[in-house]
Amino acid sequence: MKNRPAPERLREQLVKRYPAKVAKKRLGQIVVNTKDASGAVPEIKANTRTSPGIITQRGCCYAGCKGVVLGPTRDIINLVHGPIGCSFYAWLTRRNQTRPETPDAENFMTYCFSTDLRDEDIVFGGEKKLRQAIQEAYDLFHPKAIGVFATCPVGLIGDDIHAVAREMKEKLNGCNVFAFSCEGYKGVSQSAGHHIANNQLFKHVIGLNDEPPAGRFKVTLLGEYNIGGDAFIIEEMLAACGITLVATLSGNSTIAQFERAHTADVNCVMCHRSINYVADMIEKKYGVPWFKVNFIGANATAKSLRRIAAFFDDPQLTQTVEAYIAEQMAQVNAVAADVRSRCEGKTAMLFVGGSRAHHYQELFAEIGMKTVAAGYEFAHRDDYEGRRVLPSIKVDADSRNIEELDVQPDPVKYRPRISPEEMAARGLPHKDYTGMMPEMDDHTLVIDDISEHETQELLHTWRPDVFCAGIKEKYGVQKNGIPCKQLHSYDYGGPYAGFKGAINFYREIDRMINATVWKMITPPWRQNGMPHLEAEYVRS
Ligand code: CFM
């Protein structure tokens, strides 16, 4: 990173080749991070449409609803109403793992359920086929629940999936059937799908069972999806500390967990972006408060466990948690010190999703690495700047399209657990997420919805030691002789959560950035004598 251009100059360089209108829009989404005396950071544009022509990292609304929020639950049949192409993504394309209680317990995650819409269904309507498919799935598996997910054409032809779901729920006495209007084109990214998934789960599932599991300290974990086994690690840690996990939304979960999710003493929010709506709605209706946790990074994990202990304010629990942290940190520190000796001072860039680009900075910091640029694909301003900016976020037409449920305290079930004042007295940040930018250094670059072109410019100019993104970006990054760590799928590795996960991650990064193979790469087009073509954009 010697002689690298200043971030202000690089920011201009990233948009230099765009048409003026696109450049102007992108400059609102590319920010040089600074903090004023109060800790406030500059405003960043986020959750806006991607300009046509830009190669974005983003996915669609259906991906956020079906894939992200509902996908990791094993005993709900997720039935995709749409053409078979979309349905491919109904089948194990995300590494959300699950562990049924017994080998023959229900697990539908290995199946692909689809209505396989064809030409004639598009012309004459697909409701009949949907009814048949629900019936067929029920007859074959007798599941406790069936979720129906609309893909783009369903919205265009106007199938009433909610009416079909209601009708079939009545018919299949005892099987909960509900539907999601999560057509791919809704909203500007998969973020819209998260919101739709949250709404429907809240309306149709959460609150159906008021019996919490036994235990003195009960928490629900929101926004942990068990990629690469992260949730297994978190479950193990909570159990070791004597904390009862009421439900997880939705890694390694079952519908029975969702039904009782509102019975915890407190909700712990891991991925704020994908699940904050459920956290807020449960609080409003049932009185369960929430605070933010982060189990990515050993220090963050310790802090999160301490937060839970502080909430319960029980000397025995505090002692157990402290002893557990001390024991785990001894192992973590030994590996961190060794890895740090080879990674100190190296640089990382993180461009992923709606929470990991923030959370993983902790892990890099623990081995002495600096995050010089980061950004989300689809997060909102509150994930960047902190929830304090929520009142100033303008609701645009795309966001207005997503239903906002009017939630009121339940006349019978509402039971406040603890007052906001008591939470503050215990040092707990009630209902808050401070966001990514306040925790990043000044003069780092924050880029929302980064494009492929900007990625390449960043790589050429600032040459980080590791770039974190996903499979779509991976090989384009590696062609620059820079290793790419996938933070969605973990490159088939992981888990990375908790103390054990931190150790896995340190070792993985050490291996990647200190491998000499990257220094040996000369791409064919840079080799002597190879024909070389360069092109410029033609502007009208
Ligand atoms: Fe939350 Fe996620 Fe993420 Fe997300 Fe995702 Fe994911 Fe992600 Mo891929 S829910 S926002 S929509 S932490 S699938 S488990 S890795 S983009 S940063």
Side-chain angles (χ1 to χ4, degrees), residues 163-393:
V164 175
R166 268 196 308 274
E167 181 193 320
M168 294 307 286
K169 183 179 172 179
E170 229 164 83
K171 186 174 174 205
L172 308 174
N173 197 14
C175 176
N176 191 356
V177 188
F178 42 89
F180 299 83
S181 288
C182 57
E183 290 86 352
Y185 55 75
K186 289 251 174 86
V188 302
S189 69
Q190 51 269 64
S191 167
H194 301 147
H195 197 163
I196 291 166
N198 280 224
N199 285 349
Q200 297 305 85
L201 281 178
F202 193 73
K203 274 201 272 189
H204 297 282
V205 188
I206 295 168
L208 290 181
N209 177 4
D210 297 326
E211 282 303 311
R216 270 181 71 199
F217 312 113
K218 294 186 287 291
V219 305
T220 283
L221 184 60
L222 297 177
E224 164 51 55
Y225 301 98
N226 202 19
I227 308 299
D230 279 352
F232 297 147
I233 296 252
I234 299 171
E235 287 169 14
E236 192 186 300
M237 291 195 302
L238 295 178
C241 294
I243 298 161
T244 303
L245 186 59
V246 174
T248 302
L249 264 71
S250 53
N252 192 32
S253 64
T254 58
I255 184 140
Q257 289 186 20
F258 291 179
E259 289 172 347
R260 69 182 192 202
H262 63 300
T263 63
D265 301 309
V266 66
N267 285 334
C268 301
V269 173
M270 175 83 183
C271 167
H272 172 264
R273 181 65 270 133
S274 63
I275 209 84
N276 69 87
Y277 318 94
V278 158
D280 276 345
M281 291 189 287
I282 291 185
E283 176 152 9
K284 271 192 201 147
K285 187 166 176 183
Y286 302 102
V288 186
W290 70 265
F291 53 72
K292 179 80 178 63
V293 293
N294 173 21
F295 292 110
I296 300 296
N299 293 323
T301 299
K303 196 167 141 191
S304 298
L305 289 174
R306 287 190 175 117
R307 254 182 202 178
I308 297 173
F311 176 85
F312 290 106
D313 196 23
D314 176 273
Q316 180 60 50
L317 177 66
T318 306
Q319 206 184 20
T320 316
V321 165
E322 286 303 331
Y324 181 74
I325 293 172
E327 171 206 313
Q328 298 288 317
M329 282 306 274
Q331 298 169 35
V332 169
N333 289 337
V335 181
D338 172 45
V339 170
R340 189 182 260 266
S341 68
R342 289 179 297 275
C343 294
E344 182 97 58
K346 307 263 188 197
T347 58
M349 292 183 179
L350 296 83
F351 290 93
V352 55
S355 80
R356 294 186 173 183
H358 177 199
H359 287 165
Y360 277 76
Q361 294 187 25
E362 300 254 3
L363 279 168
F364 283 113
E366 286 168 1
I367 49 173
M369 289 180 62
K370 190 169 145 50
T371 301
V372 290
Y376 298 121
E377 285 170 54
F378 50 75
H380 301 197
R381 275 184 62 204
D382 38 324
D383 305 291
Y384 283 107
E385 302 168 53
R387 278 175 70 97
R388 67 176 175 182
V389 302
L390 275 177
S392 62
I393 294 182

Side-chain angles (χ1 to χ4, degrees), residues 33 79 92 153 214-215 246 387 420 449 474 507:
N33 198 38
L79 172 60
L92 289 182
V246 174
R387 278 175 70 97
D449 186 19
K474 185 175 178 83
R507 289 196 171 128

Side-chain angles (χ1 to χ4, degrees), residues 473-494:
E473 296 78 36
K474 185 175 178 83
Y475 300 101
V477 172
Q478 293 187 161
K479 283 177 184 172
N480 292 278
I482 293 168
C484 177
K485 178 66 196 165
Q486 289 189 67
L487 287 190
H488 302 262
S489 72
Y490 297 167
D491 292 300
Y492 326 109

